[in-house]
Amino acid sequence: PRTFAISADGSRVLFLRSRHGTDSVNCLWVLNVATGEENCVADPVAMSFSSAGDIPAEERARRERAREVAGGIVTYSADADCARAVVTVNGVAFLVDVKSSQVSELALPSPVIDPRIDRSGRRIAFVHDNAVWVHDLTGLASTSAVRITPTETSPHITWGIADFIAGEEMDRTRGTWWTHNGSALLVQRTHTGHGCQYP
């Protein structure tokens, strides 16, 4: 097991693990602390019918910097209660209802890079086409994603993606951060040759 997330009340623990020792494909699991029961809540093999394709170049670069050799779900983001999580398979984003083990594909522009759900579980920030987008999950029907960073004419400028130095020297693979209450989003802007900025 790896990449643990503990719910605010301590009742649930999310983690990544393959189904057995010779399997290199990670699934998302939840541990019920009171009972000790483990349950697979997101299996990339079952999700692959709607996520066929290659791993996006940005995600391949992130995995190389993180020395990631596993397949399937290699990272995820969860809300404070560990009741909702968001994962990607080959650039397609999925919302996971941890309590019911229901997985729903999100209608977002693909490929989706590094999706991050806020602590309240209401919104998801992600990177697409070198820009940061936010998708609202509230209401009876979730709203479409909205681009929140400006359109850049230079291919040397990226938003929301950790730069090479951050990944190699600081072991940081993230380029977006929700504030504690989810009211604001901190975004990294990188200009190749000029370093990174945090508007």
Side-chain angles (χ1 to χ4, degrees), residues 103-115:
V103 179
S104 305
E105 182 178 338
L106 294 170
L108 303 177
S110 62
V112 173
I113 307 298
D114 195 27

Side-chain angles (χ1 to χ4, degrees), residues 84-159:
R84 276 180 157 183
V86 60
V87 301
T88 58
V89 178
N90 295 341
V92 179
F94 296 85
L95 182 67
V96 182
D97 185 313
V98 174
K99 295 180 181 179
S100 66
S101 300
Q102 182 177 354
V103 179
S104 305
E105 182 178 338
L106 294 170
L108 303 177
S110 62
V112 173
I113 307 298
D114 195 27
R116 299 283 174 175
I117 194 167
D118 73 1
R119 287 178 55 82
S120 70
R122 296 175 301 179
R123 290 177 294 179
I124 294 172
F126 63 96
V127 176
H128 169 70
D129 195 24
N130 284 337
V132 177
W133 302 63
V134 171
H135 181 65
D136 194 333
L137 296 168
T138 59
L140 296 177
S142 57
T143 61
S144 299
V146 176
R147 180 175 181 153
I148 64 169
T149 53
T151 301
E152 299 286 357
T153 57
S154 171
H156 303 292
I157 297 176
T158 61
W159 290 86

